[in-house]
Amino acid sequence: MSIRKITEYPEPVLGLIGRPVEKFDDELAALCDDMFETMYDAEGVGLAAPQIGLNLRLFVMDCDGIKLVAANPEIVATEGEQSSHEGCLSVGKVPAVVVRPMKARLRAQGLDGEWFERDAEGYAARCFMHETDHCDGRLFIDHLPKLRREMVVNRFKKEKRWK
Ligand SMILES: [Zn+2]
């Protein structure tokens, strides 16, 4: 296992629609081990493949009691609305309030290639949607009004310069 370098905004890979995962083999399992290790090291609750520079539809998460690997994820149903702070390891965890559905149903393939569906609410639902967005080349700041998006990006750039 090894910790991978986290890709940060505005790296182009973060804006690409990911390629589907096609092989469910030991290599994929090893990649997911690295992704979990990288995510825990960065104290995140979810990490998608584009965040370590790979143009792939794949994420791992361990959020609010839900720990899973999702290959080729899609959100197949949503309900309600929630509005709370969200951040992203690729945008220096600068927080911003994002409005999203309260509940979400994720459909994806596990490490064995079997399709599964999982329902979540609140924080975990937010994580499903945030990570699935990454696989579609979307960042949480793309959900923000223009001015707030600029504020987050500017704060991120400033903090990066100070590092
Ligand atoms: Zn993110």
Side-chain angles (χ1 to χ4, degrees):
M1 297 222 292
S2 58
I3 293 168
R4 307 283 189 107
K5 186 176 180 294
I6 292 180
T7 311
E8 292 184 321
Y9 177 84
E11 283 282 334
V13 68
L14 293 171
L16 300 177
I17 294 183
R19 282 185 296 107
V21 174
E22 280 162 350
K23 274 197 210 150
F24 294 85
D25 52 10
D26 291 348
E27 208 176 306
L28 182 70
L31 171 61
C32 290
D33 281 346
D34 282 1
M35 287 171 67
F36 273 116
E37 200 180 349
T38 305
M39 178 187 85
Y40 291 131
D41 179 67
E43 294 176 5
V45 293
L47 186 79
Q51 295 183 277
I52 54 164
L54 301 173
N55 177 29
L56 261 189
R57 304 184 63 75
L58 175 70
F59 75 76
V60 300
M61 73 177 256
D62 187 351
C63 174
D64 222 7
I66 299 183
K67 181 178 175 181
L68 53 78
V69 167
N72 303 321
E74 29 178 339
I75 300 297
V76 291
T78 57
E79 202 185 306
E81 191 179 291
Q82 59 172 319
S83 169
S84 47
H85 280 92
E86 194 165 320
C88 178
L89 296 176
S90 295
V91 194
K93 296 188 191 168
V94 175
V97 171
V98 184
V99 180
R100 293 197 189 260
M102 175 55 90
K103 295 182 185 177
R105 176 171 297 158
L106 171 75
R107 182 171 185 269
Q109 285 166 284
L111 277 179
D112 54 4
E114 291 293 317
W115 287 97
F116 67 88
E117 285 192 358
R118 189 82 191 255
D119 289 312
E121 210 177 315
Y123 192 27
R126 181 173 283 280
C127 193
F128 279 176
M129 294 181 274
H130 179 115
E131 301 308 331
T132 301
D133 272 354
H134 272 302
C135 298
D136 291 322
R138 253 196 321 267
L139 295 175
F140 82 105
I141 50 176
D142 297 332
H143 292 277
L144 300 176
K146 195 164 171 278
L147 266 179
R148 281 236 308 281
R149 181 193 160 106
E150 280 169 11
M151 275 167 60
V152 170
V153 169
N154 288 338
R155 211 180 119 192
F156 168 58
K157 286 183 181 162
K158 221 181 197 173
E159 285 178 6
K160 241 189 118 160
R161 270 206 302 275
W162 287 338
K163 255 188 224 163

